[in-house]
Amino acid sequence: MSPAVQISSATLAFGQRTLWSGLDLSVERGEFVAVLGPNGSGKTSLLKVLLGLQHLSRGTVRINSDQPVGYIPQQRAMAEALTLRGVDLVGLGLDGHRWGAGLRGLARRRRRVAAAVSAVGAESYARQPVGKLSGGEQQRLRVAQALVGDPDVLLCDEPLLSLDIAHQHAVSELIDARRRAAGTAVLFVTHEINPILPYVDRVLYLVDGRFRIGPPGEVMTSETLSELYRTRVEVVRVGGQIHVAGARSAVCEDEPHHLDERVS
Amino acid sequence: MDKFFDFGLTAQLLQLSFVQTALIAAAVLGLVAGVLGPLIVTRRMSFAVHGTAELAFTGAAGALLLGVGVEFGALAGAVIAALLLGLLGGRESDRDSVIGAILSFGLGLGVLFLWFYPGRAANKFGILVGQIVSIETTNLIVLVIAALVVLAVVACIYRPLLFASVDPHVAAARGVPARALSVVFAVLVGVATALGVQIVGALLVVSMMVTPAAAAARLTASPWKVTVLAVVFAEIAALGGIVLSLAPGAPVSAFVTTIAFTIYLVCRLVAHLRDRAARVTADSPAAAPAAS
């Protein structure tokens, strides 16, 4: 079976600046790939390429699926007065991109939305205004919104950001359960690998146009990361977690990217 | 003051054909305003509606001066305004000031046109605060056609427009053409605003386009229910305003805006009481163990 996502000799450059070049990455069905790297390394741009919002400078990208790609953004504050309930948010993930008012097939739509909502355990608050829900509740609904269309590929852009640890675990588990049950390929952009470490099959680590792909155990080592960052970096494993210590400014990224800021 | 409650006179006036024409026009406007309103509120376009209405006034004043139909002038002014706002005010940080700049210039130009206009003062006053008795059968046909076009376009773009309005990041990721949709929507709002200018006047269009939807948004978070409620509120304000204005012969807009604002206050009050009741219910399980 062909891989769900196939990126071949891909290069992305903005003017003189090359974000990455010669990138080859195949993501198999049911595989969980984490995309890591400092700010400006082109993690979010990679997602935009996969979403079709950004053209490659060279190379090809293929998504082998008839279904639209699922997408989970980072949690953002929503206006409290926004006239939108959880079920409406999830429903937009199903058919919000289609033309028309969507008056046909309402019963079937309602069933699919209800199934997606119950799959993430959000029944108790799905009919409340989304703006009044907590960040964790909103992100659960985001998972449902991304999965309601039964995507073969799920793209996640820092979905755990600004969530507390309990909700980070809950949301990661939902994504992991889904890819195991339905064979969804997951590409997960994050600046913090630990919440998803138990689920990650492979890591794509991007630094300054250089990158490394492999299982976390191979990529997340002092040797590999020192090579990527071209400076001494220590990787320490503590209680099943991975901590990266080094030139702080280069390794730790405090501010994640926003997809929208580069769009406009 | 007695005239305010002269129901006999009101009933008598309702028989007149120009009053019936006005009621049909108001009902059509109420429907369009109610459908567009929730999206206007979600997209934070109240000020844009006001700015568009001022340009509709400029267009109407220009048409009055040239001796062309006021409705066409208003339509042209509002659509030009909508396109300008759509093209110049793409970035949210700019939008507010772009509207302010265009609005004030348009208003000034309109005042100049009116100063040149040699005709009756009532016509001048009418395009600012509305003058529904002047709507003729030909105007009505233009109004109905314009309204049908607006509703048809909304029906076509409703879902992606809602998506881009309430959830812009995911909508962008799904390939919804947000920029194009926002220009199209601005033009639709422009057309609807031009219709409103003929009934409530340029200064008070916001009371039809925004207030009913803002009131409805207090009561429910469901996009569909908000739209239905906004239509109902807009119809009550528009039709009720005309009927109440008949006996005293006062300007329609005073009644339309008062009814719309009253509905808004009532909705706020209802929402406040409901939220308080919900808080009390939510608190009680926590309080129960302490009591036992």
Side-chain angles (χ1 to χ4, degrees):
Chain A
M1 209 153 69
S2 56
V5 176
Q6 215 166 356
I7 302 167
S8 315
S9 12
T11 298
L12 184 64
F14 295 109
Q16 294 293 310
R17 198 166 146 260
T18 302
L19 284 179
W20 26 261
S21 66
L23 179 66
D24 289 298
L25 175 67
S26 293
V27 185
E28 302 296 330
R29 286 165 207 283
E31 194 180 14
F32 196 125
V33 175
V35 182
L36 289 125
N39 262 352
S41 58
K43 297 180 301 220
T44 299
S45 298
L46 178 64
L47 282 196
K48 284 173 69 181
V49 166
L50 291 165
L51 288 166
L53 301 175
Q54 172 74 54
H55 287 292
L56 285 171
S57 310
R58 274 193 300 281
T60 58
V61 57
R62 251 187 82 86
I63 292 188
N64 295 309
S65 168
D66 304 328
Q67 301 297 325
V69 164
Y71 174 72
I72 308 177
Q74 58 179 265
Q75 195 264 326
R76 289 182 181 83
M78 286 176 143
E80 223 179 276
L82 191 68
T83 49
L84 195 76
R85 300 163 303 169
V87 284
D88 304 312
L89 184 82
V90 175
L92 285 172
L94 187 61
D95 58 14
H97 58 291
R98 298 203 184 174
W99 301 106
L103 289 172
R104 263 176 294 171
L106 273 181
R108 185 164 169 272
R109 183 179 194 269
R110 203 169 295 136
R111 274 199 304 278
R112 288 187 72 174
V113 169
V117 165
S118 81
V120 299
E123 296 99 324
S124 61
Y125 48 82
R127 301 208 152 262
Q128 287 175 25
V130 279
K132 291 185 177 166
L133 300 178
S134 75
E137 290 168 337
Q138 285 178 7
Q139 285 308 82
R140 273 178 184 263
L141 288 166
R142 288 282 183 201
V143 175
Q145 182 192 36
L147 297 180
V148 66
D150 276 329
D152 294 319
V153 176
L154 179 62
L155 305 177
C156 309
D157 189 10
E158 304 268 15
L160 307 182
L161 200 81
S162 77
L163 298 189
D164 59 44
I165 290 180
H167 280 113
Q168 285 186 355
H169 281 300
V171 170
S172 324
E173 267 168 29
L174 287 171
I175 293 168
D176 178 61
R178 166 71 187 201
R179 59 118 183 189
R180 285 181 198 284
T184 311
V186 179
L187 226 85
F188 196 109
V189 167
T190 180
H191 67 293
E192 165 65 319
I193 192 175
N194 285 313
I196 53 168
L197 192 58
Y199 317 119
V200 170
D201 297 313
R202 281 193 297 159
V203 170
L204 164 62
Y205 208 117
L206 295 158
V207 183
D208 274 344
R210 298 177 292 278
F211 58 86
R212 199 58 63 91
I213 302 170
E218 282 176 25
V219 176
M220 303 301 286
T221 62
S222 302
E223 199 189 343
T224 309
L225 291 194
S226 295
E227 227 177 279
L228 275 176
Y229 280 103
R230 293 194 170 155
T231 178
R232 186 72 202 142
V233 173
E234 290 286 347
V235 176
V236 192
R237 291 175 169 268
V238 188
Q241 295 203 330
I242 296 178
H243 291 280
V244 181
R248 208 182 149 72
S249 57
V251 182
C252 296
E253 55 277 15
D254 302 311
E255 291 294 315
H257 285 302
H258 300 267
L259 184 69
D260 51 308
E261 280 169 10
R262 297 248 206 93
V263 173
S264 52
Chain B
M1 275 318 260
D2 306 342
K3 282 201 289 183
F4 272 80
F5 302 103
D6 192 340
F7 297 118
L9 183 59
T10 303
Q12 220 174 7
L13 288 167
L14 280 172
Q15 308 292 318
L16 298 174
S17 77
F18 79 84
V19 173
Q20 286 166 1
T21 307
L23 285 172
I24 296 171
V28 170
L29 175 68
L31 179 62
V32 173
V35 168
L36 295 181
L39 289 162
I40 291 171
V41 170
T42 302
R43 299 173 70 87
R44 301 168 191 216
M45 283 174 64
S46 302
F47 192 41
V49 168
H50 188 56
T52 311
E54 304 298 13
L55 270 274
F57 158 74
T58 312
L64 207 56
L65 188 61
L66 293 173
V68 194
V70 167
E71 66 273 25
F72 296 110
L75 206 55
V79 170
I80 290 172
L83 287 174
L84 277 178
L85 299 186
L87 297 174
L88 297 180
R91 292 183 35 198
E92 197 158 352
S93 51
D94 283 351
R95 209 165 62 188
D96 192 59
S97 54
V98 167
I99 295 168
I102 294 178
L103 175 158
S104 52
F105 174 63
L107 200 54
L109 206 59
V111 169
L112 185 70
F113 290 160
L114 286 190
W115 182 69
F116 277 128
Y117 177 66
R120 285 172 49 228
N123 289 355
K124 305 179 185 181
F125 194 53
I127 48 180
L128 274 174
V129 298
Q131 192 184 33
I132 199 152
V133 288
S134 69
I135 292 180
E136 292 159 15
T137 321
T138 46
N139 301 46
L140 185 65
I141 292 168
V142 174
L143 196 130
V144 170
I145 291 173
L148 285 177
V149 170
V150 169
L151 292 175
V153 175
V154 169
C156 289
I157 65 170
Y158 183 77
R159 260 185 305 184
L161 181 63
L162 179 72
F163 201 178
S165 306
V166 297
D167 195 7
H169 301 101
V170 177
R174 291 295 285 271
V176 172
R179 190 73 204 275
L181 283 174
S182 81
V183 173
V184 171
F185 186 66
V187 172
L188 295 181
V189 169
V191 174
T193 305
L195 306 181
V197 166
Q198 297 174 59
I199 296 169
V200 283
L203 293 181
L204 303 166
V205 158
V206 171
S207 71
M208 284 293 292
M209 305 283 288
V210 176
T211 314
R218 291 277 155 187
L219 295 187
T220 172
S222 155
W224 281 107
K225 284 185 199 158
V226 166
T227 306
V228 171
L229 278 177
V231 169
V232 170
F233 293 163
E235 294 290 359
I236 292 173
L239 298 176
I242 290 176
V243 171
L244 287 183
S245 76
L246 289 175
V252 171
S253 49
F255 292 91
V256 173
T257 50
T258 305
I259 294 172
F261 188 61
T262 308
I263 292 172
Y264 177 71
L265 287 182
V266 170
C267 287
R268 281 202 79 121
L269 183 69
V270 168
H272 174 74
L273 294 176
R274 193 187 50 190
D275 287 354
R276 209 174 57 177
R279 261 201 304 279
V280 170
T281 330
D283 287 348
S284 51
S292 62

